[in-house]
Amino acid sequence: MKFAPLMRAALLVSAVAVLPAATSGLAAVDGRANHEFDKLFTIYQLIKQNYVDPVDDDKLLKGAIDGMLESLDPHSNYLDGPSLQRLETMIDGKYTGLGLSVVEDDGAVKIVSPFKGSPADKAGLKAGDYITHLDGVLYYDRDLDEAVEQMRGPAGTSIKLTIYRPGRDEPFDVTVTRGVIELKPVTWELKDDVGVISVNEFSRDVGNYVHGAITDLKKQAALKGSGKLTGLVLDLRSNPGGSLDEAVALSDLFLDHGDIVSQRGRLASENQFYRAETVFKGDAARGLPVVVLVDAGSASASEIVAGALQDQHRAVIMGQRTFGKGSVQSFIQLDKDSAVKLTTARYYTPSGHSVQEGGIVPDIKVPQLSDPDARARAERAVRESDLRGHLINDAALKDKDLETDTKQDPRFQISAEELKKEGITDFQLHYAISTLERTGGKPALAAAAAKDAN
């Protein structure tokens, strides 16, 4: 298995760095731990000699490794065999299946997000849905890789999923036909005179893709409408993160000075500061007003971009509070078939704010009114602060502040049915475009939007 694809695969799920497997620090074991290591070996021998059934050594050792890493935080874990292969398959950018990103949530298979345009997306599956059965077989407290393997298969074949969706009284079945999934990290389109750029993951060359998207949107606008681009919507909703370098590159596209993000580790020598104009020179959007759309599924690298553009007053952040993952993971290759992903640093926005637990709070909070089940899912959305063993941030949002996530803004009282009649299928995007059009593309968008939000 090649190192480069695996490294890129790890970048999909969190902001990561690379560390060598062999360092001088690995030999420095606290002498007090020797007794505990002896105890661990004694337990291993007891299991091998006395357990009711024969136990494979690999199973015991993997369990010990998993136990150590799981005691740290939710993002430190051991990767081998199927888990490494699954990451490599995803990052290769082309496979056959449903087009779903899933995680295990308390023994259940939970959808993080369907890839845009995938069979799962076209079948109406949503972020936050739970898959309870595959072809009628209950999948609970089972290996996630086993479920993923069953959902993949030859293009043209079908599988029946039983879905539990928060907000619905009863589970329901959806039959999805597998297709060829080609992961596209960036897509874009022109709506009236506003360019909409969707960043689905922070994999390789995302900064260059978005740069090309801006150029193409300007050309399209010159041939349509008023002849010029009046604003941009950068859609980071349900984007779970990825490469720290690509988050810096994307932020740098819109900034011509100042800090983007800082990374602070256990040792002062590990601290790093990333500043504008290290990747791209100048503002590629040339001062065009920008709205960044985020939601509870916007995590890690997405939060770096939103935090940088918010703190530098370059964009208006709109939507819902983000996931709240403010840590950096290092990917350490052990051998060709195994690796460790280890949390080694926290990151901070230009103002020194850590998004750990609290996330990025939008300048304008906008619910997804066009989805009739969105509010129920939002009330049950799992964020970093809900994960067992998450890193604590002393400056995280308090309970009373988090309660505002579920309060309905009196401005947003229209129903999904009414929006559907008006042809509005994505209210958050509609509101973002309307905000840009209301200001006439003026640079004073941020001030106007902030006033509108109060």
Side-chain angles (χ1 to χ4, degrees), residues 267-296:
L267 304 174
S269 59
E270 297 172 348
N271 296 347
Q272 295 186 52
F273 292 82
Y274 300 85
R275 296 183 170 86
E277 299 213 309
T278 58
V279 182
F280 297 101
K281 298 298 181 183
D283 176 1
R286 298 186 179 275
L288 280 174
V290 179
V291 170
V292 178
L293 280 178
V294 294
D295 62 11

Side-chain angles (χ1 to χ4, degrees), residues 113-292:
S113 63
F115 301 131
K116 292 181 181 177
S118 68
D121 184 31
K122 293 175 182 176
L125 299 180
K126 306 282 187 182
D129 285 348
Y130 290 87
I131 301 173
T132 63
H133 296 72
L134 296 174
D135 278 336
V137 177
L138 176 65
Y139 265 75
Y140 179 75
D141 204 18
R142 296 172 66 171
D143 191 336
L144 181 65
D145 289 318
E146 185 181 341
V148 170
E149 185 65 26
Q150 185 164 345
M151 285 188 280
R152 289 190 180 145
T157 61
S158 299
I159 184 170
K160 183 177 73 173
L161 310 181
T162 302
I163 302 296
Y164 167 72
R165 177 172 294 170
R168 297 280 185 95
D169 293 332
E170 299 290 338
F172 57 94
D173 292 335
V174 178
T175 298
V176 187
T177 301
R178 299 178 180 93
V180 177
I181 310 302
E182 295 191 46
L183 301 180
K184 296 181 179 179
V186 180
T187 58
W188 61 93
E189 62 179 323
L190 185 70
K191 289 184 174 288
D192 297 328
D193 293 322
V194 175
V196 179
I197 302 174
S198 298
V199 181
N200 305 312
E201 62 185 36
F202 282 85
S203 53
R204 186 184 302 159
D205 291 332
V206 159
N208 286 324
Y209 285 139
V210 174
H211 188 278
I214 294 172
T215 301
D216 184 62
L217 287 166
K218 287 180 177 179
K219 291 179 180 177
Q220 289 187 46
L223 300 174
K224 304 174 183 178
S226 66
K228 66 176 183 178
L229 201 62
T230 58
L232 291 171
V233 176
L234 185 62
D235 190 352
L236 301 180
R237 291 174 298 175
S238 297
N239 183 323
S243 167
L244 175 62
D245 288 341
E246 292 303 327
V248 170
L250 179 54
S251 303
D252 199 4
L253 268 178
F254 299 97
L255 298 172
D256 56 13
H257 68 280
D259 292 336
I260 292 174
V261 67
S262 61
Q263 174 183 312
R264 307 177 199 176
R266 182 173 175 178
L267 304 174
S269 59
E270 297 172 348
N271 296 347
Q272 295 186 52
F273 292 82
Y274 300 85
R275 296 183 170 86
E277 299 213 309
T278 58
V279 182
F280 297 101
K281 298 298 181 183
D283 176 1
R286 298 186 179 275
L288 280 174
V290 179
V291 170
V292 178

Side-chain angles (χ1 to χ4, degrees), residues 40 57-84 104 143-145 334 337-342 388:
L40 179 65
D57 282 344
D58 289 342
K59 180 178 181 179
L60 291 177
L61 294 174
K62 184 177 184 303
I65 294 170
D66 287 341
M68 279 192 290
L69 291 165
E70 287 173 6
S71 72
L72 302 176
D73 72 282
H75 307 294
S76 295
N77 47 61
Y78 175 65
L79 304 171
D80 72 339
S83 56
L84 273 179
E104 182 182 346
D143 191 336
L144 181 65
D145 289 318
L334 301 178
D337 295 320
S338 62
V340 169
K341 186 155 65 72
L342 189 66
R388 186 184 299 114

